[in-house]
């Protein structure tokens, strides 16, 4: 079962709170901040925590990075292009700073946690004032305090994997809130860098999660999104054992109208979880279940621990328990050694399952992972062609798959105005599909009932009822 994860002590938290006050009183502290976030929801939520601490320091959000006194790049390193974009933007901001020498620049997140990256930042990006890894997030006040009182860059990357409760959070959305239930990952999929940069899997205590959810409910939050790299293996090493299905059962007893979660690993999708979902009052009928490939040999070399047939069996079970469930997935093309017939197995799986949406990626070698050292890396041109074919197929199928909703009633949590019109609003329905309907600013943050009228650009259109 393993040991319970180490928590940051009360004394340590108190020290950080004191430093927040001290920064508040510093005459030369920044007045405004802007955070640029790359990558997944975990990163987006970490940015909300950084913003929470900055707001308590009396530092206010600025709309544009070039106008802020303090710019923080919260980076991702899952694929090479995310890393290149972040570093390109950091370099671009260096030029802007020529006219604004008081501007401070920080880099944090997964990329900083990569082996060798701290040294690279110190050598090639020495103009960066502060760099820290994901494991140092709770020490942000202390690190910023040091950076404000030093002429040199402060670069700190800790290998310690602890859980920090009680960090202030400045939530970007009023109606929907992220709640992290676990950190890190133990799966070591051969292509993935996450376990190396986010560390071993550690679960928050259920009582801390339930308390946070209850607090969000009292603030009128309409939806919580439970976050983790592999939420359905939640619970490893807890002093009072609880698995993900049981945690969901507890959260379902609260009165938060919508509960969602991501990401789930197919190998850990238990029958108990499916049954808790189908019996629940608030867990939405949707599932993000990354398949990565439709070919058994590739899945084996990816270290995914399931076969194509086992994946399809999970999908069948989900659909028989929760008809109409909204299903989405992640797929990688061009994994080392992937042959044309193996890629065609992925196409045929997509045809067979009929996902409501799919996030598709070209394999990107990550130094230190097992796949990066594999022979037969697929040429870029072939990988580009494959992803095009996959996207074309998914788009064609998706239009038809989504037609099953036409004529049905849906409840949509309105996120904002539609991109195309100020007379229309949009948000996610219960099945995680985007839906647009006529509406006004007063709908934002509300759950609105509607009838689906059609499919347009892979989203749904609806009329209000
Ligand atoms: N933990 C989640 C899971 O198991 O599916 C997702 C984590 S990862 C941040 C999100 C997605 O990025 C993965 O599902 C995978 O499809 C993709 N990904 C991860 N490493 C990749 C790589 N080296 N190249 C391309 N895509 C990658
Ligand atoms: Fe990466 Fe696999 Fe862990 Fe997801 S489950 S974070 S893909 S190692």
């Amino acid at each position: 079962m393993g040991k319970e994860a180490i928590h940051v002590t009360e004394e340590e938290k108190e020290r950080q709170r004191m430093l927040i006050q001290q920064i508040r009183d510093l005459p030369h502290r920044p007045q405004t901040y802007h955070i640029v976030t790359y990558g997944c929801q975990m990163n987006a939520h970490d940015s909300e925590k950084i913003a929470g601490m900055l707001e308590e320091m009396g530092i206010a959000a600025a709309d544009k990075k070039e106008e802020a006194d303090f710019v923080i790049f919260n980076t991702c390193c899952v694929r090479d292009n995310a890393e290149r974009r972040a570093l390109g933007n950091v370099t671009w901001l260096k030029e802007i700073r020529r006219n604004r020498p008081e501007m401070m620049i920080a880099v944090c997140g997964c990329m900083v946690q990569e082996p060798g990256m701290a040294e690279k930042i110190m050598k090639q990006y020495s103009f960066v004032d502060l760099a820290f890894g994901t494991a140092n997030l709770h020490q942000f006040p202390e690190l910023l305090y040091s950076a404000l009182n030093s002429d040199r860059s402060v670069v700190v990357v800790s290998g310690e994997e602890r859980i920090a409760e009680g960090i202030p959070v400045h939530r970007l959305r009023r109606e929907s809130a992220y709640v992290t239930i676990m950190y890190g990952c133990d799966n070591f999929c051969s292509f993935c860098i996450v376990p190396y940069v986010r560390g071993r899997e550690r679960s928050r205590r259920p009582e801390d999660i339930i308390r946070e959810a209850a607090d969000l409910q009292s603030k009128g939050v309409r939806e919580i999104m439970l976050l983790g790299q592999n939420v359905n293996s939640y619970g490893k090493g807890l002093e009072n054992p609880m698995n993900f299905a049981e945690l969901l059962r507890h959260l379902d007893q609260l009165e938060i109208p919508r509960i969602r979660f991501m990401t789930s690993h197919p190998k850990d999708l238990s029958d108990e979880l499916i049954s808790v979902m189908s019996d629940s009052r608030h867990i939405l009928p949707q599932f993000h279940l990354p398949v990565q490939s439709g070919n058994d040999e590739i899945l084996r070399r990816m270290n995914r621990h399931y076969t194509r047939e086992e994946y399809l069996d999970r999908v069948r079970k989900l659909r028989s328990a929760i008809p109409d469930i909204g299903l989405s997935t992640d797929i990688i093309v061009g994994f080392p050694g992937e042959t044309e017939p193996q890629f065609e197995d992925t196409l045929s799986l997509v045809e067979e399952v009929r996902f409501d949406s799919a996030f598709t990626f070209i394999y990107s070698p990550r130094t230190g992972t097992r796949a990066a050292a594999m022979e037969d890396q697929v040429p870029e041109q072939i990988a580009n062609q494959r992803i095009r074919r996959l996207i074309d197929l998914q788009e064609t199928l998706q239009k038809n798959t989504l037609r099953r909703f036409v004529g049905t009633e849906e409840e949509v949590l309105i996120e904002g105005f539609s991109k195309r019109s100020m007379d229309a609003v949009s948000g996610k329905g219960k099945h995680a599909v985007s839906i647009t309907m006529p509406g006004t600013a007063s709908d934002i943050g509300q759950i609105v009932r509607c009838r689906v009228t059609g499919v347009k650009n892979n989203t749904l259109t609806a009329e209000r009822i």
Side-chain angles (χ1 to χ4, degrees):
M1 235 359 218
K3 307 200 292 288
E4 186 167 83
I6 301 170
H7 283 65
V8 173
T9 61
E10 284 307 315
E11 295 79 59
E12 169 77 23
K13 287 195 257 178
E14 183 51 36
R15 214 158 69 81
Q16 299 302 328
R17 280 194 284 269
M18 271 169 47
L19 283 156
I20 287 182
Q21 287 312 316
Q22 287 181 21
I23 294 174
R24 231 190 141 88
D25 296 338
L26 280 181
H28 63 289
R29 70 161 163 77
Q31 299 298 315
T32 55
Y33 73 87
H34 184 94
I35 307 177
V36 184
T37 308
Y38 300 88
C40 63
Q41 284 88 351
M42 303 285 271
N43 260 17
H45 190 37
D46 282 350
S47 290
E48 292 184 329
K49 291 180 184 165
I50 297 170
M53 292 185 265
L54 288 164
E55 298 271 335
E56 295 216 339
M57 292 168 193
I59 306 176
D63 287 340
K64 292 189 179 151
K65 53 181 174 302
E66 47 274 40
E67 288 167 5
D69 297 339
F70 183 24
V71 181
I72 302 116
F73 291 93
N74 188 4
T75 59
C76 167
C77 60
V78 167
R79 283 167 293 277
D80 185 47
N81 56 2
E83 198 168 306
R84 275 209 311 264
R85 266 194 307 138
L87 289 173
N89 260 320
V90 173
T91 308
W92 173 80
L93 202 65
K94 179 186 172 197
E95 294 308 311
I96 303 284
R97 190 163 70 169
R98 281 189 203 284
N99 302 323
R100 300 200 42 217
E102 75 289 357
M103 180 191 267
M104 284 183 78
I105 302 177
V107 182
C108 64
C110 294
M111 187 184 80
V112 181
Q113 205 83 30
E114 262 183 280
M117 187 50 84
E119 293 76 18
K120 181 171 170 177
I121 290 174
M122 279 191 280
K123 277 202 197 118
Q124 294 178 27
Y125 299 84
S126 56
F127 56 91
V128 165
D129 300 284
L130 170 61
F132 58 98
T134 49
N136 305 98
L137 186 78
H138 66 283
Q139 296 164 324
F140 174 64
E142 178 179 351
L143 302 176
L144 178 56
Y145 188 85
S146 303
L148 283 166
N149 292 299
S150 164
D151 293 335
R152 304 179 51 188
S153 310
V154 173
V155 178
V156 182
V157 182
S158 150
E160 274 188 337
E161 295 161 1
R162 292 185 286 172
I163 292 184
E165 292 295 341
I167 297 179
V169 183
H170 183 66
R171 298 194 185 266
L172 287 181
R173 287 175 61 193
R174 187 161 49 92
E175 71 284 358
S176 177
Y178 294 131
V179 176
T180 304
I181 63 164
M182 50 145 21
Y183 300 91
C185 182
D186 283 350
N187 285 324
F188 290 93
C189 299
S190 62
F191 50 81
C192 182
I193 200 164
V194 168
Y196 302 91
V197 294
R198 289 261 178 188
R200 294 293 71 71
E201 208 169 291
R202 45 219 192 272
S203 295
R204 283 179 73 195
R205 292 180 186 127
E207 55 272 30
D208 292 331
I209 298 169
I210 294 165
R211 193 177 310 117
E212 182 176 350
D215 179 53
L216 289 166
Q217 174 182 321
S218 70
K219 292 182 174 136
V221 162
R222 318 291 289 149
E223 173 180 278
I224 55 172
M225 165 76 105
L226 308 176
L227 294 181
Q229 292 299 346
N230 185 7
V231 285
N232 46 357
S233 78
Y234 171 83
K236 281 189 201 163
L238 286 176
E239 206 168 66
N240 301 314
M242 183 178 287
N243 67 23
F244 183 54
E246 289 162 338
L247 176 70
L248 279 180
R249 211 180 270 130
H250 282 279
L251 292 170
D252 194 45
Q253 282 163 18
L254 299 172
E255 293 303 331
I256 301 171
R258 295 160 65 120
I259 302 175
R260 306 167 64 187
F261 53 85
M262 75 186 312
T263 297
S264 304
H265 195 299
K267 76 176 164 55
D268 297 310
L269 206 189
S270 66
D271 290 346
E272 184 188 7
L273 173 56
I274 297 176
S275 118
V276 168
M277 284 182 76
S278 70
D279 294 343
S280 80
R281 297 182 302 153
H282 305 303
I283 303 166
L284 294 189
Q286 52 180 259
F287 218 101
H288 183 63
L289 195 60
V291 65
Q292 313 297 0
S293 165
N295 174 270
D296 283 346
E297 171 60 12
I298 296 288
L299 287 171
R300 191 186 62 73
R301 294 204 293 116
M302 285 178 162
N303 198 30
R304 291 290 288 181
H305 295 281
Y306 54 83
T307 61
R308 172 191 177 103
E309 194 41 46
E310 282 162 353
Y311 183 90
L312 291 172
D313 176 65
R314 294 289 87 195
V315 169
R316 279 192 288 269
K317 280 226 161 91
L318 274 170
R319 284 193 168 139
S320 82
I322 311 160
D324 256 358
I325 189 165
L327 262 189
S328 56
T329 197
D330 293 348
I331 299 172
I332 295 178
V333 305
F335 184 79
E338 185 190 63
T339 61
E340 173 63 22
Q342 287 171 331
F343 169 64
E344 284 170 10
D345 282 346
T346 298
L347 294 180
S348 75
L349 180 128
V350 165
E351 287 226 48
E352 197 167 338
V353 175
R354 301 198 173 237
F355 295 105
D356 291 306
S357 66
F359 298 90
T360 51
F361 308 106
I362 293 180
Y363 166 72
S364 167
R366 306 282 63 208
T367 309
T369 60
R370 276 202 285 141
M374 287 179 188
E375 288 173 3
D376 290 339
Q377 300 283 327
V378 172
E380 201 180 314
Q381 192 199 356
I382 295 188
N384 282 331
Q385 284 167 2
R386 286 186 185 162
I387 199 152
R388 197 60 261 160
R389 285 162 66 196
L390 176 62
I391 292 171
D392 286 348
L393 174 67
Q394 173 58 23
E395 282 183 354
T396 311
L397 295 172
Q398 197 165 320
K399 282 197 187 78
N400 284 319
T401 312
L402 293 181
R403 286 215 174 93
R404 77 184 188 285
F405 291 115
V406 176
T408 63
E409 286 185 15
E410 259 283 7
E411 286 173 6
V412 183
L413 178 55
I414 304 293
E415 292 166 15
F417 284 106
S418 142
K419 287 198 193 91
R420 292 189 180 77
S421 155
M422 290 298 276
D423 298 323
V425 289
S426 71
K428 291 249 168 26
K430 288 198 293 187
H431 300 84
V433 179
S434 292
I435 302 182
T436 303
M437 70 185 88
T440 62
S442 64
D443 294 320
I444 297 171
Q446 304 299 322
I447 294 176
V448 176
R449 278 164 59 77
C450 63
R451 179 166 290 104
V452 178
T453 49
V455 181
K456 198 172 169 194
N457 302 320
N458 281 327
T459 61
L460 300 174
T461 52
E463 61 192 14
R464 304 168 73 108
I465 43 178

